[in-house]
Amino acid sequence: AQKVTQAQTEISVVEKEDVTLDCVYETRDTTYYLFWYKQPPSGELVFLIRRNSFDEQNEISGRYSWNFQKSTSSFNFTITASQVVDSAVYFCALSEPSTDSWGKLQFGAGTQVVVTP
Amino acid sequence: GAGVSQTPSNKVTEKGKYVELRCDPISGHTALYWYRQSLGQGPEFLIYFQGTGAADDSGLPNDRFFAVRPEGSVSTLKIQRTERGDSAVYLCASSLMGQGYNEQFFGPGTRLTVL
């Protein structure tokens, strides 16, 4: 069963618009970790942010911010004032300690973000 | 410092052949992961090493797939009797330790095409 769902396949915006990416996850663990990774056209996955399940405080880091809500099992990610260089596929991922190998990441299908000038 | 490197960057082979894909993790990283990414999909976990041992190989699709990490650094993913369905990008990642909160650093991947 899919543990991480990214319902948006593609989002197209004009530069300087904000972009919000949705992520819904499924887990029975009380402690878990959520991640966002970026995969630009070059192909190499780049770590963006990490959140643990016991800290629901939402934060901002530069143009990135995230909204973590355990009640709805959502971990949404926002890019403020988008730029053309933000064009990439964005993946949400889950790590669960209770599994036999809790180092592994379980990824969603990704959301393609296209930012046009 | 150097990131995760993978060789070759591209590999084209014929159905039934044997291939080896290599991963050089970041120096000092004890955990190493292999993922497979098909077109339009997210990376799919294959196997995870902590040191020299495979901590979890539950993601390997079948016994044609095998991976080693004999000295706790470089890893090789081996695929026997390749099939067209094995065509994908094979990603390697490493992290300082194997706990799930550690950031994983990914390599550029090896694109495998089975004709």
Side-chain angles (χ1 to χ4, degrees), chain B residues 21-45:
Chain B
L21 312 179
R22 177 188 167 103
C23 172
D24 278 272
I26 293 173
S27 178
H29 281 193
T30 64
L32 185 146
Y33 312 81
W34 284 98
Y35 295 85
R36 179 169 70 173
Q37 186 174 23
S38 300
L39 192 63
Q41 301 296 317
E44 174 190 22
F45 170 77

Side-chain angles (χ1 to χ4, degrees), chain A residues 23-44:
Chain A
C23 173
V24 174
Y25 61 91
E26 179 185 335
T27 181
R28 295 180 180 179
D29 288 3
T30 54
T31 299
Y32 50 89
Y33 293 83
L34 294 162
F35 300 78
W36 278 97
Y37 277 83
K38 173 183 179 181
Q39 189 172 43
S42 61
E44 196 159 329

Side-chain angles (χ1 to χ4, degrees), chain A residues 6-116:
Chain A
Q6 295 180 253
Q8 303 151 308
T9 304
E10 180 172 326
I11 300 176
S12 294
V13 296
V14 177
E15 210 169 17
K16 298 184 182 177
E17 290 182 343
D18 296 347
V19 180
T20 295
L21 309 179
D22 298 335
C23 173
V24 174
Y25 61 91
E26 179 185 335
T27 181
R28 295 180 180 179
D29 288 3
T30 54
T31 299
Y32 50 89
Y33 293 83
L34 294 162
F35 300 78
W36 278 97
Y37 277 83
K38 173 183 179 181
Q39 189 172 43
S42 61
E44 196 159 329
L45 280 156
V46 177
F47 166 80
L48 295 177
I49 57 174
R50 170 185 53 226
R51 204 72 194 158
N52 62 56
S53 57
F54 37 88
D55 186 356
E56 287 192 73
Q57 181 178 356
N58 296 314
E59 293 186 15
I60 298 174
S61 176
R63 295 188 299 110
Y64 298 152
S65 63
W66 48 97
N67 185 349
F68 175 36
Q69 293 193 349
K70 290 177 72 171
S71 61
T72 56
S73 296
S74 66
F75 183 52
N76 298 337
F77 176 69
T78 297
I79 305 170
T80 303
S82 61
Q83 301 174 2
V84 173
V85 292
D86 295 327
S87 296
V89 181
Y90 290 80
F91 292 98
C92 181
L94 167 70
S95 176
E96 300 174 287
S98 68
T99 61
D100 292 340
S101 145
W102 81 290
K104 72 180 183 185
L105 293 174
Q106 300 171 83
F107 287 87
T111 298
Q112 172 80 58
V113 173
V114 179
V115 182
T116 54

